């Protein structure tokens, strides 16, 4: 069993897609399309991280493209491997 909220929901969505021993999961406020989540989040820590990139001359659109090119997995890509009967959102 797994219970995760916010970032824990995102990690849980990844985990439930690849770990066959995980029978059930409750995912609270998970998200997918991580490049968009990171570039549009209003979470203070994420905003600060994004601003640090902007201070180095990296625009939000460029950051989104970099994340899309470098992230090797995303809950959206693994959704087809999740049994919806085993997950409570």
């Amino acid at each position: 069993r797994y219970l995760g909220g916010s970032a824990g929901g995102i990690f849980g969505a990844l985990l439930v897609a690849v770990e066959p021993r995980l029978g059930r999961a409750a995912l609270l406020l998970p998200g997918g399309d991580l490049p968009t989540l990171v570039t549009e989040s209003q979470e203070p820590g994420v905003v600060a991280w994004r601003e640090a990139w902007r201070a180095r001359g990296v625009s939000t659109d460029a950051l989104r493209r970099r994340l899309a090119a470098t992230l090797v997995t995303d809950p959206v890509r693994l959704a087809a491997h999740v049994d919806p009967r085993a997950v409570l959102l």
Side-chain angles (χ1 to χ4, degrees):
R1 294 184 182 125
Y2 182 89
L3 170 65
S6 192
I10 293 170
F11 299 137
L14 297 169
L15 183 63
V16 75
V18 300
E19 177 51 71
R21 296 175 297 173
L22 187 59
R24 302 264 185 223
L27 307 176
L28 313 173
L29 301 171
D33 185 1
L34 296 178
T36 299
L37 286 174
V38 169
T39 56
E40 294 184 10
S41 173
Q42 295 305 307
E43 189 71 30
V46 178
V47 171
W49 183 81
R50 199 170 51 232
E51 291 298 323
W53 277 99
R54 189 171 295 137
R56 293 184 219 155
V58 179
S59 72
T60 300
D61 287 337
L63 180 58
R64 182 180 290 123
R65 287 191 303 273
R66 283 185 185 197
L67 290 169
T70 58
L71 289 172
V72 295
T73 193
D74 190 300
V76 171
R77 293 182 185 158
L78 294 174
H81 304 284
V82 175
D83 179 354
R85 297 169 296 180
V87 177
L88 175 65
L89 293 175

